[in-house]
């Protein structure tokens, strides 16, 4: 038991040391690490002054409905940009990505879904991204964590060297085309109740990366239909102190849940990042927070 | 009893005749009728080829939070444009309104709220719109009714010469600043289940005027927390045939409910239109549906 504990602390320390180093990298350098499969896990704290993005890659016939879904539900699904059909080297808004990138390799790891079921997880999707696929980048709440830290509001999972805890909820998205009866996914960071107004204010400016929290408190968890905070559906294990409450933000894992919830409707493979393992963008957090 | 029935049918006929005449007017002509208090009730079917708008007028200190609320919840609150502080003659997007208008007089009727309570209803707000107020125009689902009619899907309330039935729901908006724990308001039009896909497709194109329905069916009513469809909270009395189901759209009455739900927080008078009694805009429905 003592040994296991020692091992866990060593793991945690080594993860935190690695992240301290990654925090200073330029986004294209960090993308190269992912491309070479030298980093294959979560990216909280990487390239700390830059924004990060979620990924969903859909067969082109679902693109219009998905764009509509994002425009109708910008809090869980803030759409940043998209690729042309079959082209993982280009996005339609160069504010987010400028230097050489390949969306098939530059995330630490990927999920591949078929008929709404997770088929496998890989560190690249060279074989899966077909000439029929369109990739969408969705804003990520990692993008406001540096500013929270600078204001003395360090998210707990960064202190612990873990990914942010992520939960499924019962809150419905407003439907769009084939995407019906979809529900929000949320990320959770614990804070003292007296810090919530400051946390809300800081994150409200990041409209393109989920903005301010959608619920907070244990009653908020109940309204979101989260049955047990100790059991997140994705991401790292939470630690909430007695003098803290959970605070919930819209989360870019939502599109993955959307795909899983449309089992019979979406034909052909769908690709996503794995929870917490994001793409580092060339846009700074300071810049992304000024975008409408 | 027969007399009352006769009277109601005559009223209904006269209302429908008036609307047939109003359907052909240019928006500025209809605004003049409202300015002169010659039309003071609902506007379903007026200037049939043009879009219509909801109104909310807030003290300027709540403007930023309200804009954020709209951007986060574009389905119930699709923000079209706003006025400068204290200026009801100007909006910041001339696609919607070009010809001489006065937002204090050009709606058929107005509600005035104080501390979240409806204080009075008037046909103009010349005395209430102060130098501290900002007006916001919100898209209205009347804007897609002409296209539904052209496709043989005439909304029931138009056949009946009534306003569209409108309901409060328990679905939460994503909060923004002072606007916390607010809920959606929805409009309802009954359709046959087999017509719902066509109704969804037609209205999905109108992103700036609530887009496609958010729920449908009696189970949809339940998910929205509507306890009794026979008792709408605003608008006209519904008639749903046995072979039809209710179909629900986000509704621009939502900001009024938001104001009522923030009793203690919003100081100073708030002005809105009355339910169903909208402003006719200079933009056609055909044009507004091409806007993102």
């Amino acid at each position: 038991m003592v040994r296991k504990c020692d091992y866990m602390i060593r793991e945690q320390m080594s993860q935190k040391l690695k992240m301290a180093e990654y925090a200073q990298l330029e986004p294209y350098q960090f993308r190269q690490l992912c491309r070479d499969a030298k980093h294959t896990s979560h990216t909280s704290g990487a390239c700390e002054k830059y924004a990060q993005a979620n990924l969903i890659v859909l067969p082109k016939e679902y693109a219009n409905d998905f764009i509509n879904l994002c425009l109708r539900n910008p809090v869980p699904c803030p759409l940043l940009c998209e690729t042309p059909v079959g082209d993982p080297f280009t996005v339609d808004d160069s504010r987010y990505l400028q230097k050489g990138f390949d969306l098939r390799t530059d995330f630490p790891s990927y999920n591949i879904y078929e008929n709404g079921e997770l088929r496998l997880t890989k560190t690249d999707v060279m074989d899966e991204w077909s000439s029929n696929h369109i990739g969408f980048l969705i804003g990520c709440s990692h993008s406001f964590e540096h500013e929270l830290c600078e204001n003395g509001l360090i998210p707990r999972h960064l202190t612990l060297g873990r990914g942010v805890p992520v939960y499924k909820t019962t809150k419905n998205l407003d439907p769009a085309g084939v995407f019906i009866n979809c529900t929000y996914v949320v990320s959770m960071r614990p804070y003292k109740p007296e810090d919530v107004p400051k946390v809300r204010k800081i994150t409200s400016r990041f409209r393109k990366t989920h903005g301010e929290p959608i619920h907070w408190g244990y009653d908020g968890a109940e309204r979101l239909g989260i049955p047990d905070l100790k059991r997140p559906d994705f991401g790292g294990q939470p630690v909430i102190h007695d003098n803290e409450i959970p605070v919930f933000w819209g989360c870019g894992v939502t599109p993955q849940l959307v795909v899983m919830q449309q089992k019979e409707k979406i034909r052909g493979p769908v690709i996503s990042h794995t929870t917490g393992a994001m793409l580092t963008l060339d846009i700074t957090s300071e810049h992304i927070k000024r975008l409408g």
Side-chain angles (χ1 to χ4, degrees), chain A residues 5 48 73 76 91 126 143 161 183-184 187 207 219 231 243 258 269-271 275 279 290:
Chain A
C5 198
E48 63 179 15
N73 300 279
V91 291
M126 296 296 286
S143 312
T183 50
Y184 278 54
S187 65
R207 282 182 188 150
D219 55 327
R231 299 177 61 183
N243 61 347
V258 162
V270 172
I271 302 163
T275 306
L279 181 75
R290 291 199 303 274

Side-chain angles (χ1 to χ4, degrees), chain A residues 82-91 101 103 129-131 133-135:
Chain A
E82 58 179 282
T83 71
V85 187
D87 176 359
F89 309 108
T90 312
V91 291
F101 60 88
L103 296 185
W129 191 309
S130 77
S131 60
H133 275 115
I134 297 182

Side-chain angles (χ1 to χ4, degrees), chain A residues 204-218:
Chain A
S204 72
R205 298 184 195 119
F206 290 83
R207 282 182 188 150
K208 282 287 189 192
T209 66
H210 307 296
E212 63 189 274
I214 62 166
H215 276 296
W216 49 94
Y218 289 94

